[in-house]
Amino acid sequence: IGFVMCNLAIAGLGKRVLDPCCGSGSLMLYAAALGASQVTGVDSDPSVWRGANEEFARHVCSFTSLPLASPQFYEGDVLNPDSTEPLWTPNNFDAIVCDPPYNIGAPVLVNQLDARPQNYHSKDNSVCTNKSTAIKNATNDLIPSLLVIAQRVLVHGGRIVFFLPVRGPEEVAMSLEVMLVSRGWQSDRLQLIAGRLQWFTPTFARWLVCLEKDKDHSC
C-alpha cells in the first residue's frame, strides 16, 4: 500500500516528499525507493523514528541502482504547523504522503490525555467507550490541518495522498466529497483526483484519498 500511495502522489524520481505524521518513517522509505531526492518526516514524538536511519541504510543494498535519500526528521505538531518549518514553508514539496493515526488500540495523546473518539474500535474490532476530556481533540481534527498544510507547502500541481477514517453510521452514509467538505476541503484549491474505500468492520472504514493542488491557484 505504501508504493500505491507514493505512486498516486507521483512521489518518484527527484521529488521532494513530506510525511507530516511520519511515525517510524515507513512511507518515506517507499518514496525513497521510488527515487525521491528529499524525504522529510514530522512527528510529535521523536522517539518513534529512532533507528529509522539505520532502517534506510539496511535497504540500500536492495536498490543498488538507486541509492536511497537519507530521511530528515523534525519534531512538530500538525495541529500547530506554524512552529515547524516543513509544515509552513510555501511551495516546498512536490508530494505529501500521510497515514494519520486512527486512535485504534493505543491512544493518541493530546495534552497527555486519551484523544480517541467517544466510540472507538479496539484491535479486536470491539467497540469501546472513551470518557476522556480530550475527546473533542480526536484524530479527525488532524485532517483539516493536513489540508491547510497541503495548500501551503505543495508546489502547484503537487499531490497529497492520505487515509481518511470513516466512523459510525452517519459517516458511513456520507460520500467522500461530503466528508472532505466537512473537514474544510476547498475544491478550488485541492482537486480530488481519486478516492478508494477500504472496509474493516461494518462501522469502520477508511478512504484512500488523492488531492492535487490547483496549478493556477495562488495561496
Side-chain angles (χ1 to χ4, degrees):
I1 193 67
F3 280 124
V4 171
M5 295 178 72
C6 289
N7 274 301
L8 274 173
I10 318 179
L13 191 61
K15 296 300 179 69
R16 300 161 298 169
V17 181
L18 170 69
D19 183 349
C21 303
C22 69
S24 61
S26 58
L27 285 176
M28 298 160 59
L29 180 58
Y30 288 109
L34 290 174
S37 61
Q38 177 184 325
V39 286
T40 302
V42 177
D43 202 281
S44 59
D45 181 3
S47 69
V48 296
W49 65 67
R50 192 169 296 140
N53 285 287
E54 291 79 4
E55 181 70 8
F56 270 61
R58 186 173 71 84
H59 285 280
V60 169
C61 61
S62 302
F63 306 96
T64 53
S65 63
L66 192 65
L68 300 185
S70 298
Q72 302 174 22
F73 291 104
Y74 293 79
E75 182 178 357
D77 185 356
V78 168
L79 295 175
N80 186 24
D82 290 340
S83 65
T84 307
E85 183 178 352
L87 301 183
W88 61 258
T89 305
N91 306 312
N92 198 40
F93 293 98
D94 302 294
I96 296 173
V97 288
C98 183
D99 185 8
Y102 306 148
N103 284 328
I104 296 176
V108 171
L109 300 181
V110 175
N111 297 325
Q112 303 304 311
L113 297 173
D114 185 345
R116 287 174 291 196
Q118 183 173 3
N119 297 303
Y120 67 91
H121 288 81
S122 67
K123 291 181 179 179
D124 64 2
N125 287 328
S126 61
V127 178
C128 305
T129 299
N130 177 19
K131 298 181 180 179
S132 168
T133 57
I135 289 174
K136 63 183 174 130
N137 294 314
T139 298
N140 279 351
D141 290 341
L142 291 181
I143 302 302
S145 292
L146 287 175
L147 297 178
V148 170
I149 290 166
Q151 292 168 16
R152 181 184 296 174
V153 307
L154 284 175
V155 299
H156 296 297
R159 291 185 174 186
I160 176 173
V161 175
F162 63 99
F163 282 114
L164 174 64
V166 181
R167 296 187 180 92
E170 182 178 343
E171 289 193 345
V172 165
M174 290 183 183
S175 67
L176 174 57
E177 289 84 353
V178 170
M179 286 194 65
L180 287 170
V181 168
S182 73
R183 285 159 171 80
W185 174 53
Q186 300 180 53
S187 59
D188 63 325
R189 292 173 177 259
L190 294 170
Q191 179 185 359
L192 179 60
I193 300 298
R196 187 63 178 261
L197 189 61
Q198 179 184 16
W199 289 97
F200 294 98
T201 76
T203 57
F204 179 72
R206 66 181 183 180
W207 282 98
L208 177 60
V209 182
C210 177
L211 304 174
E212 182 176 285
K213 183 174 177 178
D214 192 319
K215 293 182 174 64
D216 300 319
H217 190 92
S218 298
C219 291

